[in-house]
Every structure is written in C-alpha cells, then in structure tokens.
Amino acid sequence: MSDEVGTHRSFAKKCFNQTWDLIEKDDRTRDETNRMINAAHASRYHWDFVGEPVNFARGEWLISRVYAILHRAEPCLYHAGRCLEITLENDLEDFDLAFSYEAMARASDLAEAAVETAKYIDLAKDAGALIQDTEDRQYFFSELHTLQPGSPS
C-alpha cells in the first residue's frame, strides 16, 4: 500500500470515528459541532481516494445523520439521497440498505414530508428484517426506533 493510500485510509477512518464520538456527546460545544460537521465531510472526502461503494454510502449516511442531529433538512436530504443512490446503484444490501432507508426516513421527517417519511420507514423495516447478523439487526431497529415522525428530534 502506498503512503498516500494509507494516509487517505487512516484519515477516513479517524474522521469517521471522531464524528461518531461527537455524535454521541450530549453536551457538544459550538466548536465541537463544527468539528463534527467537518470531520464527517473529511471522512467521506478521503474515502473518495481509497474506498469502495460501501464506504461512500456509509460516508453519505454519516453526513446525513450529522445534519439530522442539527435539524438541517436540506443537507440532510441531499446526503441521505446520495447514500440511497449509491446503495441501490451498487446493489448493497443487508445493514447498508436498511440504514440508507433509515437515513431517507429521518431526512424526510426533518423536511416535514409525512408521506415520504412513512414510505421510507416501511422500506427500512422491511430491509431491517433481512439483516443477517442478529446484533446488527437489533442495533438497526434500536436506531430506527429513535425516529419519532413529526416530533422535534
């Protein structure tokens, strides 16, 4: 592996993990919120150089989740849509398909699109039921249940 490839891969993973740590932090400061946004985008950027479609889809999912947390509908919808597009174009299934529908449900809810929200929740449930790994399936449904359509997140 070339130094450049290794560097991109390392930064992609570190930025993803830093984003996730900040997502889970209850009392983020403004600077940490900005770092969370930037780290999510940076992770996705670095995957462009060394990743595969699954990394691209998961990167778009992460960005959409950040914007969902921040109640920013337009970028949330954009990145959730990219996640679903990459997932479907590359026949990603299981965990990735279920979470791409979850991202679209969350983004649609944020955009106050009730019909789309219901549609994507149903698709997410159907895809989630097909997740092979029991722990992954349980985790998926625990995340899906955090979505409360029509209520502020």
Side-chain angles (χ1 to χ4, degrees):
M1 176 181 337
S2 76
D3 286 346
E4 186 174 341
V5 168
T7 299
H8 281 297
R9 187 174 306 286
S10 175
F11 280 131
K13 290 177 182 180
K14 285 179 183 177
C15 290
F16 187 98
N17 291 335
Q18 183 179 59
T19 303
W20 198 253
D21 289 343
L22 289 166
I23 284 172
E24 292 180 333
K25 187 172 183 188
D26 292 327
D27 58 345
R28 274 185 311 279
T29 65
R30 183 177 181 190
D31 286 343
E32 289 170 330
T33 295
N34 288 330
R35 191 174 307 119
M36 179 177 67
I37 294 166
N38 292 333
H41 283 279
S43 176
R44 177 62 181 87
Y45 170 81
H46 286 290
W47 280 123
D48 264 346
F49 296 96
V50 296
E52 299 177 10
V54 67
N55 305 113
F56 307 152
R58 290 176 182 177
E60 295 293 344
W61 175 87
L62 182 67
I63 296 169
S64 76
R65 178 55 74 92
V66 165
Y67 286 120
I69 290 167
L70 300 176
H71 306 281
R72 297 200 39 213
E74 190 279 326
C76 183
L77 271 168
Y78 176 81
H79 291 285
R82 286 290 299 137
C83 174
L84 181 59
E85 182 181 346
I86 293 165
T87 298
L88 295 176
E89 285 176 354
N90 292 281
D91 298 319
L92 301 178
E93 297 177 342
D94 202 78
F95 187 86
D96 295 292
L97 181 60
F99 268 105
S100 66
Y101 288 135
E102 175 269 344
M104 285 301 300
R106 204 171 287 280
S108 297
D109 183 53
L110 192 57
E112 300 178 358
V115 172
E116 291 293 300
T117 301
K119 172 183 131 179
Y120 285 115
I121 286 174
D122 287 344
L123 288 167
K125 287 178 180 177
D126 291 346
L130 300 175
I131 295 173
Q132 295 296 308
D133 183 84
T134 302
E135 286 182 27
D136 284 348
R137 188 173 53 255
Q138 289 172 343
Y139 176 72
F140 168 76
F141 279 106
S142 73
E143 285 295 304
L144 186 63
H145 287 113
T146 66
L147 177 58
Q148 302 293 321
S151 67
S153 300

